[in-house]
Amino acid sequence: MSIKKILKIGLACLLYSSSIGLLWAQQMMFADSSRLGRPFSKDPHVVKFEGRYLMYFSVPPVPDQAGGWGIAIAESDDLIHWERIGEIAATEEYEKNGFCAPGALVKDGKVHLFYQTYGNGAKDAICHAYSTDGIHFTRNATNPIFAPHANDWSNGRAIDAEVYSFKDHYFLYFATRDPKGEIQMQGVAKADANTDFSREDWTLAKDASILKPELEWEGKCVEGASIIERKGKLYMFYAGSYNNAPQQVGVAVSKDGVNWKRVFDRPFLANGKPGEWNSSESGHPHIFDDKDIGKSFLFYQGNDDQGHTWWLSNVEVGWKKGKPYLKE
Protein backbone atom coordinates (compact mmCIF):
# COMPACT_ATOMS: atom_id res chain seq x y z
CA MET A 1 0.00 0.00 0.00
CA SER A 2 1.38 3.41 -0.95
CA ILE A 3 2.22 6.11 1.60
CA LYS A 4 -0.33 8.36 -0.07
CA LYS A 5 -3.11 5.81 0.38
CA ILE A 6 -2.13 5.19 4.02
CA LEU A 7 -2.27 8.92 4.71
CA LYS A 8 -5.64 9.19 2.98
CA ILE A 9 -7.10 6.33 5.09
CA GLY A 10 -5.65 7.85 8.25
CA LEU A 11 -7.19 11.23 7.48
CA ALA A 12 -10.59 9.61 6.80
CA CYS A 13 -10.43 7.77 10.14
CA LEU A 14 -9.51 11.00 11.94
CA LEU A 15 -12.40 12.88 10.35
CA TYR A 16 -14.81 10.05 11.19
CA SER A 17 -13.74 9.91 14.82
CA SER A 18 -13.96 13.70 15.07
CA SER A 19 -17.48 13.67 13.63
CA ILE A 20 -18.53 11.04 16.17
CA GLY A 21 -17.12 13.20 18.94
CA LEU A 22 -19.07 16.20 17.68
CA LEU A 23 -22.19 14.05 17.41
CA TRP A 24 -22.11 13.08 21.07
CA ALA A 25 -21.19 16.64 22.06
CA GLN A 26 -24.48 17.97 20.64
CA GLN A 27 -27.40 18.43 22.98
CA MET A 28 -30.74 16.86 22.23
CA MET A 29 -33.62 19.35 22.20
CA PHE A 30 -36.96 17.96 21.06
CA ALA A 31 -40.58 19.00 21.43
CA ASP A 32 -43.80 18.21 19.58
CA SER A 33 -45.97 21.23 18.68
CA SER A 34 -48.71 19.33 16.82
CA ARG A 35 -51.38 19.69 19.52
CA LEU A 36 -50.88 23.21 20.84
CA GLY A 37 -48.95 24.98 18.10
CA ARG A 38 -46.07 25.46 20.52
CA PRO A 39 -43.39 23.05 21.80
CA PHE A 40 -44.96 20.79 24.43
CA SER A 41 -43.75 17.25 25.22
CA LYS A 42 -43.39 15.51 28.57
CA ASP A 43 -42.50 12.18 30.21
CA PRO A 44 -39.93 10.68 27.80
CA HIS A 45 -39.19 6.95 27.65
CA VAL A 46 -36.82 5.36 25.12
CA VAL A 47 -36.28 1.81 23.86
CA LYS A 48 -34.10 0.36 21.13
CA PHE A 49 -36.21 -1.77 18.82
CA GLU A 50 -35.37 -3.31 15.45
CA GLY A 51 -32.26 -1.17 15.00
CA ARG A 52 -33.76 2.21 15.85
CA TYR A 53 -34.50 4.25 18.93
CA LEU A 54 -38.15 4.86 19.73
CA MET A 55 -39.22 7.51 22.22
CA TYR A 56 -42.69 7.53 23.74
CA PHE A 57 -43.83 10.76 25.38
CA SER A 58 -46.91 12.59 26.65
CA VAL A 59 -48.69 15.24 24.61
CA PRO A 60 -51.32 17.64 26.04
CA PRO A 61 -55.06 17.88 25.33
CA VAL A 62 -56.10 19.66 22.16
CA PRO A 63 -57.92 22.89 23.07
CA ASP A 64 -61.69 22.83 22.52
CA GLN A 65 -61.73 19.15 21.55
CA ALA A 66 -62.93 16.04 23.36
CA GLY A 67 -60.31 13.82 24.92
CA GLY A 68 -57.32 14.56 27.08
CA TRP A 69 -53.63 13.82 27.29
CA GLY A 70 -52.16 11.39 24.78
CA ILE A 71 -48.99 9.51 23.85
CA ALA A 72 -46.91 10.27 20.76
CA ILE A 73 -43.89 8.50 19.25
CA ALA A 74 -40.61 9.77 17.81
CA GLU A 75 -37.68 7.89 16.30
CA SER A 76 -33.94 8.53 16.07
CA ASP A 77 -30.77 6.83 14.94
CA ASP A 78 -28.41 8.83 17.17
CA LEU A 79 -30.38 9.79 20.33
CA ILE A 80 -29.99 13.48 19.46
CA HIS A 81 -32.08 14.14 16.36
CA TRP A 82 -35.69 12.98 16.67
CA GLU A 83 -38.63 12.87 14.27
CA ARG A 84 -42.25 12.47 15.31
CA ILE A 85 -43.66 9.38 13.57
CA GLY A 86 -47.05 8.86 15.12
CA GLU A 87 -49.50 9.03 17.95
CA ILE A 88 -51.40 6.34 19.83
CA ALA A 89 -55.11 7.00 19.45
CA ALA A 90 -57.51 6.48 22.35
CA THR A 91 -59.64 3.42 21.62
CA GLU A 92 -61.01 2.30 24.99
CA GLU A 93 -63.58 3.70 27.39
CA TYR A 94 -60.99 3.95 30.17
CA GLU A 95 -58.84 6.17 27.90
CA LYS A 96 -61.56 8.68 27.02
CA ASN A 97 -60.46 11.28 29.61
CA GLY A 98 -56.81 10.91 28.61
CA PHE A 99 -53.80 8.64 28.97
CA CYS A 100 -50.11 9.44 29.26
CA ALA A 101 -46.75 8.93 31.07
CA PRO A 102 -45.54 5.95 29.02
CA GLY A 103 -42.97 3.41 30.15
CA ALA A 104 -41.78 0.67 27.80
CA LEU A 105 -39.70 -2.48 27.55
CA VAL A 106 -38.82 -4.93 24.78
CA LYS A 107 -39.69 -8.58 25.42
CA ASP A 108 -40.02 -11.52 22.99
CA GLY A 109 -39.84 -9.30 19.91
CA LYS A 110 -42.54 -6.92 21.09
CA VAL A 111 -42.63 -3.45 22.65
CA HIS A 112 -44.65 -3.56 25.85
CA LEU A 113 -46.06 -0.18 26.81
CA PHE A 114 -47.20 0.69 30.31
CA TYR A 115 -49.17 3.88 30.73
CA GLN A 116 -51.67 5.56 33.00
CA THR A 117 -55.21 6.75 32.58
CA TYR A 118 -55.51 10.46 33.31
CA GLY A 119 -58.23 12.84 34.39
CA ASN A 120 -59.88 10.50 36.90
CA GLY A 121 -58.25 11.71 40.12
CA ALA A 122 -57.75 8.93 42.66
CA LYS A 123 -59.15 6.40 40.16
CA ASP A 124 -56.30 6.75 37.66
CA ALA A 125 -54.58 3.40 37.13
CA ILE A 126 -51.87 1.61 35.14
CA CYS A 127 -52.62 0.01 31.76
CA HIS A 128 -50.64 -2.21 29.38
CA ALA A 129 -50.46 -2.66 25.61
CA TYR A 130 -48.07 -4.43 23.23
CA SER A 131 -46.85 -3.93 19.67
CA THR A 132 -44.92 -5.86 17.03
CA ASP A 133 -43.81 -2.70 15.22
CA GLY A 134 -43.51 -0.23 18.11
CA ILE A 135 -46.23 2.00 16.67
CA HIS A 136 -49.54 0.13 16.59
CA PHE A 137 -50.61 -1.29 19.95
CA THR A 138 -53.00 -3.97 21.16
CA ARG A 139 -54.49 -3.36 24.60
CA ASN A 140 -54.32 -5.88 27.41
CA ALA A 141 -57.82 -7.31 27.82
CA THR A 142 -57.55 -6.97 31.63
CA ASN A 143 -56.81 -3.21 31.61
CA PRO A 144 -56.34 -1.38 33.87
CA ILE A 145 -53.78 -3.88 35.12
CA PHE A 146 -52.87 -2.26 38.43
CA ALA A 147 -53.75 0.23 41.14
CA PRO A 148 -53.32 -0.23 44.88
CA HIS A 149 -56.36 -0.48 47.12
CA ALA A 150 -57.08 2.71 49.02
CA ASN A 151 -55.66 2.25 52.52
CA ASP A 152 -53.90 4.10 55.31
CA TRP A 153 -50.96 5.17 53.12
CA SER A 154 -52.41 5.44 49.58
CA ASN A 155 -55.56 6.95 48.06
CA GLY A 156 -55.60 4.15 45.49
CA ARG A 157 -54.16 6.12 42.57
CA ALA A 158 -51.38 4.69 40.37
CA ILE A 159 -49.48 6.73 37.75
CA ASP A 160 -45.99 6.97 36.18
CA ALA A 161 -45.47 3.25 35.48
CA GLU A 162 -41.99 1.76 35.19
CA VAL A 163 -41.67 -2.01 34.75
CA TYR A 164 -38.28 -3.66 35.22
CA SER A 165 -37.10 -7.29 35.26
CA PHE A 166 -34.96 -8.21 38.29
CA LYS A 167 -34.27 -11.46 40.16
CA ASP A 168 -36.97 -13.61 38.52
CA HIS A 169 -39.67 -10.97 38.88
CA TYR A 170 -41.03 -7.97 37.08
CA PHE A 171 -41.32 -4.97 39.37
CA LEU A 172 -43.91 -2.31 38.57
CA TYR A 173 -42.95 1.02 40.09
CA PHE A 174 -45.73 3.57 40.36
CA ALA A 175 -46.52 6.90 41.99
CA THR A 176 -49.49 7.27 44.30
CA ARG A 177 -50.74 9.82 46.82
CA ASP A 178 -51.50 9.78 50.50
CA PRO A 179 -55.15 9.42 51.61
CA LYS A 180 -55.58 13.20 51.55
CA GLY A 181 -54.25 13.42 47.99
CA GLU A 182 -51.50 15.87 48.92
CA ILE A 183 -48.23 13.91 49.09
CA GLN A 184 -47.01 11.99 46.04
CA MET A 185 -44.80 8.94 46.69
CA GLN A 186 -43.44 5.77 45.15
CA GLY A 187 -44.87 2.28 45.52
CA VAL A 188 -44.03 -1.07 43.89
CA ALA A 189 -45.89 -4.18 42.78
CA LYS A 190 -44.42 -7.42 41.42
CA ALA A 191 -45.27 -10.31 39.10
CA ASP A 192 -43.52 -13.59 38.26
CA ALA A 193 -41.03 -13.68 35.39
CA ASN A 194 -43.44 -15.59 33.13
CA THR A 195 -46.18 -12.95 33.41
CA ASP A 196 -48.10 -11.63 30.43
CA PHE A 197 -48.60 -8.46 32.53
CA SER A 198 -52.31 -9.12 33.12
CA ARG A 199 -54.10 -7.73 36.16
CA GLU A 200 -54.25 -10.98 38.13
CA ASP A 201 -50.44 -11.34 38.08
CA TRP A 202 -49.67 -8.19 40.08
CA THR A 203 -49.47 -7.92 43.86
CA LEU A 204 -47.95 -5.25 46.06
CA ALA A 205 -44.32 -6.07 46.81
CA LYS A 206 -44.59 -3.85 49.88
CA ASP A 207 -47.80 -2.56 51.41
CA ALA A 208 -46.27 0.85 52.08
CA SER A 209 -44.43 3.58 50.23
CA ILE A 210 -40.91 2.63 49.15
CA LEU A 211 -39.77 6.25 48.73
CA LYS A 212 -41.56 9.42 49.77
CA PRO A 213 -40.49 13.07 50.00
CA GLU A 214 -38.22 13.74 52.96
CA LEU A 215 -35.61 16.21 51.72
CA GLU A 216 -36.34 19.92 51.39
CA TRP A 217 -35.82 19.98 47.62
CA GLU A 218 -38.31 17.09 47.18
CA GLY A 219 -41.17 19.24 48.45
CA LYS A 220 -44.35 17.15 48.59
CA CYS A 221 -43.62 14.85 45.68
CA VAL A 222 -41.49 11.88 44.67
CA GLU A 223 -42.60 10.46 41.31
CA GLY A 224 -41.51 9.30 37.86
CA ALA A 225 -39.22 6.43 38.90
CA SER A 226 -36.90 5.04 36.22
CA ILE A 227 -34.73 1.99 36.92
CA ILE A 228 -31.34 0.68 35.81
CA GLU A 229 -29.26 -2.24 37.08
CA ARG A 230 -25.56 -1.98 37.87
CA LYS A 231 -23.55 -4.86 39.39
CA GLY A 232 -26.53 -6.57 40.97
CA LYS A 233 -28.10 -3.40 42.38
CA LEU A 234 -30.97 -1.32 41.11
CA TYR A 235 -30.69 2.45 40.81
CA MET A 236 -33.82 4.58 40.73
CA PHE A 237 -33.73 7.97 39.06
CA TYR A 238 -36.75 9.85 40.37
CA ALA A 239 -38.37 13.28 40.19
CA GLY A 240 -38.52 15.30 43.39
CA SER A 241 -41.13 18.04 43.93
CA TYR A 242 -44.10 18.92 41.74
CA ASN A 243 -43.74 20.45 38.26
CA ASN A 244 -41.85 23.74 38.12
CA ALA A 245 -41.49 23.93 41.92
CA PRO A 246 -38.79 23.28 40.55
CA GLN A 247 -38.85 19.56 39.88
CA GLN A 248 -35.36 18.02 39.91
CA VAL A 249 -33.90 14.52 39.63
CA GLY A 250 -32.64 12.38 42.51
CA VAL A 251 -31.15 8.88 42.76
CA ALA A 252 -31.80 5.97 45.15
CA VAL A 253 -30.34 2.44 45.30
CA SER A 254 -31.69 -0.99 46.25
CA LYS A 255 -30.39 -4.55 46.55
CA ASP A 256 -33.82 -6.19 46.31
CA GLY A 257 -35.97 -3.77 44.29
CA VAL A 258 -38.20 -3.07 47.30
CA ASN A 259 -36.15 -1.35 49.99
CA TRP A 260 -34.45 1.85 48.85
CA LYS A 261 -32.04 4.43 50.19
CA ARG A 262 -30.93 7.68 48.63
CA VAL A 263 -27.52 7.88 46.97
CA PHE A 264 -27.39 11.68 47.24
CA ASP A 265 -29.07 14.23 49.50
CA ARG A 266 -28.95 16.86 46.78
CA PRO A 267 -30.43 16.70 43.27
CA PHE A 268 -28.41 14.58 40.86
CA LEU A 269 -29.72 16.70 37.99
CA ALA A 270 -30.81 20.17 39.08
CA ASN A 271 -32.92 22.74 37.26
CA GLY A 272 -31.01 25.26 35.18
CA LYS A 273 -29.83 28.68 36.18
CA PRO A 274 -31.86 31.82 35.32
CA GLY A 275 -31.80 32.31 31.55
CA GLU A 276 -31.15 28.63 30.77
CA TRP A 277 -33.71 26.52 28.86
CA ASN A 278 -34.53 24.39 31.93
CA SER A 279 -34.55 27.10 34.61
CA SER A 280 -38.12 26.14 35.64
CA GLU A 281 -37.26 22.46 36.09
CA SER A 282 -35.36 19.34 35.07
CA GLY A 283 -37.93 16.65 35.67
CA HIS A 284 -39.56 13.28 34.98
CA PRO A 285 -36.37 11.29 34.27
CA HIS A 286 -35.84 8.19 32.17
CA ILE A 287 -32.50 6.38 32.42
CA PHE A 288 -31.80 4.59 29.14
CA ASP A 289 -29.08 1.94 29.03
CA ASP A 290 -27.80 1.40 25.49
CA LYS A 291 -25.96 -1.90 25.88
CA ASP A 292 -24.96 -1.93 22.19
CA ILE A 293 -22.68 1.06 22.64
CA GLY A 294 -22.04 0.72 26.39
CA LYS A 295 -23.47 4.11 27.34
CA SER A 296 -26.23 5.34 29.67
CA PHE A 297 -28.34 8.41 28.95
CA LEU A 298 -30.66 10.30 31.27
CA PHE A 299 -33.67 11.70 29.43
CA TYR A 300 -35.70 14.42 31.11
CA GLN A 301 -38.15 17.25 30.54
CA GLY A 302 -37.60 20.96 31.15
CA ASN A 303 -38.71 24.49 30.39
CA ASP A 304 -37.97 28.11 31.28
CA ASP A 305 -41.49 29.53 31.35
CA GLN A 306 -43.26 27.70 34.20
CA GLY A 307 -44.80 25.13 31.88
CA HIS A 308 -46.02 27.21 28.92
CA THR A 309 -43.70 25.01 26.86
CA TRP A 310 -41.97 21.70 27.58
CA TRP A 311 -38.83 20.31 25.95
CA LEU A 312 -37.13 16.92 26.13
CA SER A 313 -33.38 16.46 26.36
CA ASN A 314 -30.76 13.98 27.57
CA VAL A 315 -27.33 13.85 29.15
CA GLU A 316 -24.83 11.00 29.30
CA VAL A 317 -24.38 9.33 32.68
CA GLY A 318 -21.15 7.66 33.80
CA TRP A 319 -20.59 5.26 36.70
CA LYS A 320 -17.81 5.24 39.28
CA LYS A 321 -17.56 3.29 42.56
CA GLY A 322 -21.23 2.40 42.58
CA LYS A 323 -22.48 5.91 41.92
CA PRO A 324 -23.68 7.67 38.77
CA TYR A 325 -22.26 10.99 37.62
CA LEU A 326 -23.09 13.44 34.86
CA LYS A 327 -20.59 13.43 32.00
CA GLU A 328 -19.40 16.75 30.67
Side-chain angles (χ1 to χ4, degrees), residues 259-296:
N259 298 288
W260 294 82
K261 65 178 183 179
R262 288 167 176 78
V263 178
F264 310 105
D265 288 337
R266 294 185 177 184
F268 174 73
L269 179 65
N271 66 307
K273 298 175 182 178
E276 295 181 339
W277 75 272
N278 58 336
S279 58
S280 291
E281 81 161 50
S282 296
H284 203 100
H286 168 57
I287 185 70
F288 172 63
D289 200 22
D290 192 337
K291 292 181 173 61
D292 292 338
I293 62 174
K295 293 176 182 286
S296 302

Side-chain angles (χ1 to χ4, degrees), residues 181-257:
E182 298 174 352
I183 307 298
Q184 196 126 289
M185 65 194 80
Q186 289 295 144
V188 64
K190 67 178 181 179
D192 291 339
N194 62 355
T195 181
D196 65 357
F197 306 120
S198 292
R199 183 190 303 176
E200 60 269 19
D201 292 350
W202 296 103
T203 58
L204 279 173
K206 185 176 183 178
D207 194 7
S209 172
I210 59 170
L211 197 71
K212 57 186 177 181
E214 296 176 357
L215 303 175
E216 183 178 356
W217 70 268
E218 294 170 344
K220 294 184 177 182
C221 174
V222 166
E223 65 180 10
S226 185
I227 309 297
I228 190 172
E229 183 178 356
R230 277 293 181 274
K231 296 183 178 179
K233 295 180 181 179
L234 294 184
Y235 291 81
M236 177 196 294
F237 291 75
Y238 66 89
S241 207
Y242 285 117
N243 285 161
N244 302 311
Q247 190 167 98
Q248 301 175 96
V249 177
V251 183
V253 64
S254 174
K255 294 180 180 179
D256 60 9

Side-chain angles (χ1 to χ4, degrees), residues 8 21 32 106 121 131 136 152 179 193 195 205 227 253-254 259 265 300 321:
K8 190 175 288 187
D32 182 351
V106 176
S131 172
H136 304 92
D152 61 353
T195 181
I227 309 297
V253 64
S254 174
N259 298 288
D265 288 337
Y300 62 103
K321 295 181 179 180

Side-chain angles (χ1 to χ4, degrees), residues 48-71:
K48 197 168 191 177
F49 184 64
E50 296 184 343
R52 60 179 175 168
Y53 301 105
L54 294 176
M55 179 170 65
Y56 302 93
F57 57 95
S58 301
V59 286
V62 179
D64 302 321
Q65 290 189 20
W69 284 83
I71 297 172

Side-chain angles (χ1 to χ4, degrees), residues 77-91:
D77 59 9
D78 62 9
L79 295 176
I80 299 172
H81 305 93
W82 294 86
E83 179 183 358
R84 185 187 190 277
I85 59 170
E87 188 172 316
I88 303 174
T91 60

